[in-house]
C-alpha cells in the first residue's frame, strides 16, 4: 500500500491530470490510494462563492459559480471525448446542480459550517474528474467520498479527526475495493451526522498522512511543482539548494516556521508509525526528490530560509501594571485557542508579552476579548523570516534594509519580524 497526494497545482489543467494518470499507471504498488486537492485556485473561488452566500447574495454566488463550472467542464472536455463524454457530463452536472440548490436555499447562517459545506465541493469535483478520466483510459479505479469516511468533530474549517471511527470506516471501504487504484479527496471530511467539514487550508497533505497511518502504508509521496524540498522558496530567493533528506523533526520545524512545502500537521501521523514521506516533482517522476524519515545519513548542511507572510504583532500589557506571566499566559492562550489564532512567535519582558500571529478573520474578536484586561496594540502587514542554520554573516545580510520589530536568536536560528 502506498499513498500519493497531488496538490491543486498538479491537477490545475488537462495536462496535469494526464500527467497524474501517467504517474499512477507507472506505479506497480497495489493498492495505491491517490489523494487529490481541488483543481488550481478552485478553493479560493469557492471561498468567494461562500462569502457571497454568507452576505445573502445568491445572485453573486451563482455568478461566481459559473466561472468554476466553465473551468471544470473545459478541463473535462479536453480529457474525455467520444462515447464517454455524455455520461461524464451528467456526473459533473449533478454535482454542480447539488451545489446550486444549496446556494439558492439560504437556510443556514453558521459561517464556518456553510463554508465547509460549500468549499468541500472543490475536492469532490476534482476527484470526480480524475476518476472519470482514469476510467476513460481504462485505468480501473474506485472513487471514495471522504465526507462519509474521514470522520471529524464539528469544529468547522479546522476539524479534528476522530481517529477510531475514521479508521474503522476507511479500513472497511478500502478492503472492499476491488480495483488497484483508489481515489479520495484531500482536505475534507464529515461529522458523524453527515455534515461536511474541512481540515484547514492546504490540509490535503494531512489527509494523506492520516490515511497512511490508518492503512499502515509503506510510504507517502507528495507530488509537487518543485524538485523536492529546497532550502528556500524559489519564488522568493535566488540560488536555492535542494535538500535530499531530512528528519521528521526538521520537517516539523520548517512547516511550523511557515515553509509552504508541507502542512504542519502532516508529520506526526507519519512519525508515529515510521512511514517515510517523499516530496517529488510531478513533472519528473524519476527524480529522487526529498525523503523525510526518522534517521538520515547526512544532516542538512545549508542554511534554510522560511518566510511567513501576513503576520500581526500583538503587544499586550496588563492595565494595572501588574504582571504575573504565569497567570497571564493561560488567559492569553485560552483566547488564542478560542479564536483559532495561529501563533508564530512569542516573546516576553517584565510587563509585556509580544505575540505574532497569522492575520485572520477572528483577529479583532480576540483583540476585543484581550482588551478587557490588557492594553493591546498591534502592527499588521508584517513578515516573519526564519533562518535555520544561520551564521553571523547571514544575520548581517538578512537584517539589512529591514524595519525590524522583533528579533529572536538562538545558537543556530534567527527569527526576524519585519515590515
Ligand atoms: N484545496 C485545499 C486548499 O487549497 C486543500 C489543499 O490544497 O491541500 O487549501
Ligand atoms: Mg493546495
Amino acid at each position: 500500500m502506498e499513498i500519493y497526494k497531488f496538490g491543486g497545482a498538479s491537477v490545475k489543467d488537462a495536462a496535469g491530470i494526464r500527467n497524474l494518470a501517467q504517474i499512477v499507471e507507472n506505479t506497480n504498488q497495489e493498492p495505491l490510494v491517490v489523494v487529490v486537492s481541488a483543481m488550481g485556485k478552485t478553493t479560493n473561488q469557492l471561498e468567494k462563492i461562500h462569502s457571497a452566500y454568507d452576505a445573502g447574495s445568491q445572485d453573486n454566488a451563482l455568478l461566481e459559480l459559473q466561472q468554476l463550472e466553465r473551468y471544470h467542464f473545459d478541463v473535462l472536455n479536453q480529457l474525455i471525448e467520444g462515447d464517454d463524454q455524455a455520461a461524464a457530463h451528467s456526473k459533473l452536472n449533478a454535482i454542480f446542480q447539488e451545489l446550486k440548490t444549496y446556494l439558492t436555499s439560504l437556510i443556514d447562517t453558521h459561517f464556518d459550517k456553510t463554508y465547509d459545506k460549500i468549499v468541500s465541493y472543490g475536492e469532490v469535483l476534482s476527484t470526480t474528474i480524475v476518476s472519470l478520466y482514469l476510467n476513460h483510459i481504462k485505468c480501473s479505479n474506485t472513487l471514495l467520498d471522504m465526507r462519509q469516511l474521514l470522520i471529524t468533530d464539528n469544529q468547522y474549517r479546522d476539524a479534528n479527526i476522530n481517529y477510531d471511527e475514521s479508521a474503522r470506516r476507511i479500513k472497511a471501504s478500502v478492503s472492499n475495493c476491488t480495483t488497484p487504484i483508489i481515489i479520495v479527496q484531500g482536505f475534507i471530511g464529515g461529522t458523524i451526522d453527515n455534515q461536511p467539514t474541512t481540515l484547514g487550508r492546504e490540509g490535503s497533505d494531512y489527509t494523506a498522512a492520516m490515511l497512511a497511518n490508518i492503512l499502515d502504508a509503506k510510504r507517502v509521496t507528495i507530488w509537487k511543482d518543485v524538485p523536492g524540498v529546497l532550502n528556500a522558496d524559489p519564488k522568493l530567493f535566488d540560488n536555492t539548494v535542494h535538500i535530499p533528506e531530512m528528519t521528521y523533526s526538521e520537517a516539523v520545524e520548517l512547516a511550523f516556521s511557515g515553509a509552504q512545502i508541507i502542512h504542519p500537521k502532516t508529520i506526526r501521523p507519519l512519525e508515529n508509525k515510521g512511514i517515510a514521506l517523499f516530496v517529488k516533482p510531478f513533472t519528473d517522476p524519476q527524480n529522487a526528490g526529498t525523503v523525510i524519515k526518522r534517521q538520515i545519513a547526512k544532516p542538512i548542511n545549508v542554511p534554510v530560509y522560511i518566510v511567513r507572510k501576513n503576520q500581526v504583532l500583538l503587544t499586550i500589557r496588563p492595565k494595572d501594571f501588574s504582571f504575573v506571566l504565569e497567570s497571564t499566559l493561560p488567559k492569553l492562550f485560552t483566547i488564542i485557542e478560542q479564536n483559532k489564532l495561529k501563533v508564530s512567535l512569542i516573546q516576553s519582558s517584565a510587563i509585556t508579552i509580544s505575540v505574532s500571529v497569522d492575520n485572520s478573520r477572528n483577529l479583532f474578536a480576540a483583540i476585543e476579548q484581550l482588551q478587557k484586561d490588557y492594553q493591546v496594540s498591534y502592527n499588521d502587514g508584517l513578515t516573519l523570516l526564519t533562518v535555520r542554520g544561520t551564521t553571523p554573516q547571514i544575520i548581517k545580510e538578512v537584517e539589512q534594509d529591514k524595519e525590524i520589530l522583533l528579533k529572536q536568536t538562538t545558537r543556530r536560528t534567527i527569527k526576524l519580524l519585519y515590515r
Side-chain angles (χ1 to χ4, degrees):
M1 164 83 65
E2 267 201 54
I3 315 285
Y4 280 0
K5 182 253 165 173
F6 291 88
S10 44
V11 292
K12 71 174 194 300
D13 51 23
I17 294 174
R18 285 198 189 95
N19 188 47
L20 171 153
Q22 218 163 41
I23 292 175
V24 165
E25 280 188 313
N26 287 335
T27 306
N28 37 28
Q29 267 294 327
E30 286 182 14
L32 177 67
V33 177
V34 182
V35 180
V36 185
S37 296
M39 287 161 50
K41 302 269 175 252
T42 297
T43 305
N44 294 352
Q45 180 68 11
L46 284 164
E47 284 187 341
K48 261 197 190 166
I49 292 169
H50 171 253
S51 295
Y53 172 87
D54 186 65
S57 173
Q58 302 182 337
D59 290 352
N60 279 342
L62 291 174
L63 207 66
E64 296 287 356
L65 185 65
Q66 273 177 15
Q67 204 178 318
L68 215 53
E69 207 171 350
R70 266 199 301 274
Y71 170 44
H72 283 81
F73 274 101
D74 187 41
V75 172
L76 184 74
N77 289 340
Q78 289 176 53
L79 290 170
I80 303 178
E81 288 167 339
D83 295 348
D84 292 344
Q85 203 181 58
H89 266 221
S90 77
K91 276 248 164 69
L92 206 60
N93 221 353
I95 300 170
F96 276 107
Q97 216 42 58
E98 208 182 277
L99 179 52
K100 277 181 209 164
T101 306
Y102 181 76
L103 290 177
T104 44
S105 64
L106 281 186
I107 36 167
D108 215 335
T109 53
H110 183 303
F111 187 93
D112 291 348
K113 187 176 174 190
T114 55
Y115 175 101
D116 283 1
K117 174 86 187 175
I118 293 169
V119 169
S120 57
Y121 276 98
E123 273 68 12
V124 174
L125 290 165
S126 65
T127 48
T128 300
I129 294 180
V130 166
S131 170
L132 286 167
Y133 176 63
L134 289 175
N135 280 331
H136 177 66
I137 60 166
K138 309 276 179 282
C139 179
S140 131
N141 71 91
T142 308
L143 173 62
L144 298 178
D145 188 341
M146 293 300 262
R147 291 172 298 184
Q148 257 103 60
L149 299 179
L150 192 73
I151 301 306
T152 70
D153 63 6
N154 62 0
Q155 191 170 311
Y156 297 104
R157 293 180 73 202
D158 194 16
N160 300 296
I161 294 173
N162 173 338
Y163 185 91
D164 292 339
E165 186 57 25
S166 301
R168 200 178 61 70
R169 295 191 188 197
I170 287 166
K171 280 183 190 157
S173 311
V174 166
S175 67
N176 272 338
C177 283
T178 51
T179 62
I181 292 160
I182 299 167
I183 310 290
V184 301
Q185 306 80 27
F187 174 59
I188 71 174
T191 62
I192 204 96
D193 51 359
N194 275 321
Q195 295 302 316
T197 54
T198 65
L199 307 175
R201 287 298 308 262
E202 304 303 327
S204 296
D205 294 353
Y206 179 43
T207 302
M210 282 307 281
L211 287 172
N213 179 302
I214 287 169
L215 296 167
D216 286 306
K218 249 198 263 163
R219 56 191 221 168
V220 175
T221 305
I222 295 181
W223 297 93
K224 297 214 66 135
D225 54 354
V226 287
V229 180
L230 305 176
N231 75 322
D233 182 345
K235 290 181 198 117
L236 304 174
F237 293 86
D238 297 329
N239 306 320
T240 51
V241 182
H242 172 240
I243 299 171
E245 42 178 27
M246 63 204 291
T247 61
Y248 294 122
S249 7
E250 278 159 344
V252 168
E253 292 289 351
L254 293 196
F256 175 78
S257 302
Q260 297 287 318
I261 193 98
I262 334 163
H263 189 278
K265 284 183 178 167
T266 309
I267 302 300
R268 193 169 80 131
L270 302 176
E271 192 278 342
N272 289 177
K273 288 203 167 166
I275 301 166
L277 172 64
F278 290 77
V279 179
K280 290 181 34 129
F282 67 81
T283 48
D284 180 15
Q286 299 313 318
N287 188 315
T290 297
V291 57
I292 298 163
K293 52 187 183 175
R294 210 164 263 159
Q295 253 139 20
I296 59 171
K298 266 197 256 134
I300 302 176
N301 60 359
V302 289
V304 180
Y305 295 74
I306 308 129
V307 173
R308 188 159 165 169
K309 289 191 178 156
N310 213 359
Q311 299 297 295
V312 181
L313 177 64
L314 302 175
T315 308
I316 300 158
R317 284 188 189 80
K319 283 185 173 159
D320 59 0
F321 209 74
S322 75
F323 212 71
V324 187
L325 197 57
E326 289 75 6
S327 68
T328 301
L329 277 181
K331 230 189 241 169
L332 173 63
F333 276 93
T334 306
I335 294 175
I336 284 176
E337 155 102 47
Q338 280 167 355
N339 292 285
K340 297 177 203 159
L341 300 185
K342 301 268 186 269
V343 174
S344 54
L345 190 83
I346 305 171
Q347 191 150 297
S348 70
S349 74
I351 53 159
T352 63
I353 298 182
S354 304
V355 189
S356 135
V357 296
D358 292 347
N359 202 345
S360 76
R361 221 182 120 248
N362 295 337
L363 182 66
F364 286 99
I367 291 179
E368 246 169 56
Q369 259 173 288
L370 284 166
Q371 278 168 337
K372 291 193 185 115
D373 298 304
Y374 307 99
Q375 249 173 38
V376 184
S377 57
Y378 73 93
N379 293 279
D380 58 3
L382 308 179
T383 301
L384 176 65
L385 170 69
T386 303
V387 187
R388 296 176 59 77
T390 191
T391 62
Q393 176 61 30
I394 291 175
I395 294 181
K396 231 195 252 158
E397 276 168 28
V398 296
E399 284 186 358
Q400 254 173 39
D401 311 321
K402 288 192 179 77
E403 185 194 333
I404 297 169
L405 282 83
L406 207 153
K407 173 164 121 182
Q408 243 175 32
T409 53
T410 59
R411 201 164 48 85
R412 290 193 64 244
T413 301
I414 178 166
K415 284 179 182 281
L416 293 179
L417 189 66
Y418 66 92
R419 198 185 301 279

